[in-house]
Amino acid sequence: MALETDLHPNALRQAFGRFPSGIAALCAEIDGAPQGIVASSFTVGVSMDPPLVMFAVQNTSRTWPVLRTAGRIGVSVLGTGHDGVCRQIASRDGDRFAGLSLHEAETGALFLDEAALWLETSVENEIPAGDHAVVLLRVHGYSTHDGAHEPLVFHGSAFRNLAVPAFA
């Protein structure tokens, strides 16, 4: 078996797309307006003590420099009905929050309705990593909604739903 050595971004994006991931919207209200980004690089369980999660953000992001100033950032692990929501928040044009059902914590963290998981977080550390930064977030609280919403999965450059087990 020979390994592919084409490491150009498009080839890597296609290769990395073979790894399924959840998608998270990271949102907060800043100066009276919702701000947010979407991350398919979101990872939970980085550390339990202290409780840390992480994601990677492109250095060219115009939203992250604004969002990182929030005292608290709401992380919504997107649910099965959120594929359009994901595209909307990730858009570079228009009102990215028009028509979305949001819940605001007293801290300014914003959460999306029908998410699989909510995490209230703050920025713990930011580490340069090539054309991205790896951001560690400290978890201050969470809600699983009693498992009411299944997560949306990103795999092979497409949004997918998890299959429901035949025997639960």
Side-chain angles (χ1 to χ4, degrees):
M1 175 181 86
L3 292 177
E4 182 62 57
T5 58
D6 178 2
L7 302 179
H8 288 91
N10 287 340
L12 279 175
R13 189 172 291 110
Q14 187 174 17
F16 290 170
R18 300 305 310 148
F19 183 78
S21 64
I23 305 115
L26 295 90
C27 305
E29 185 167 304
I30 298 173
D31 296 330
Q35 297 290 334
I37 60 175
V38 174
S40 62
S41 59
F42 184 75
T43 302
V44 298
V46 172
S47 171
M48 298 298 173
D49 187 19
L52 299 174
V53 296
M54 71 177 206
F55 74 101
V57 62
Q58 290 180 333
N59 294 336
T60 57
S61 172
R62 294 178 295 165
T63 305
W64 178 242
V66 176
L67 187 58
R68 78 159 55 104
T69 67
R72 296 287 171 96
I73 298 171
V75 176
S76 299
V77 174
L78 299 185
T80 55
H82 283 143
D83 50 333
V85 170
C86 182
R87 288 184 184 93
Q88 183 176 339
I89 293 174
S91 173
R92 294 183 179 262
D93 303 313
D95 182 351
R96 299 181 306 144
F97 292 89
L100 299 184
S101 180
L102 300 172
H103 300 273
E104 182 177 359
E106 291 179 15
T107 60
L110 289 178
F111 302 98
L112 290 163
D113 198 21
E114 299 183 7
L117 171 66
W118 287 349
L119 299 170
E120 186 175 44
T121 67
S122 62
V123 176
E124 179 82 7
N125 199 357
E126 201 169 330
I127 304 145
D131 60 1
H132 281 66
V134 173
V135 181
L136 293 171
L137 300 171
R138 182 179 289 251
V139 177
H140 299 280
Y142 67 91
S143 176
T144 63
H145 312 288
D146 295 324
H149 310 288
E150 289 294 314
L152 184 64
V153 176
F154 192 68
H155 180 254
S157 298
F159 295 109
R160 302 175 191 269
N161 298 328
L162 296 175
V164 177
F167 301 99

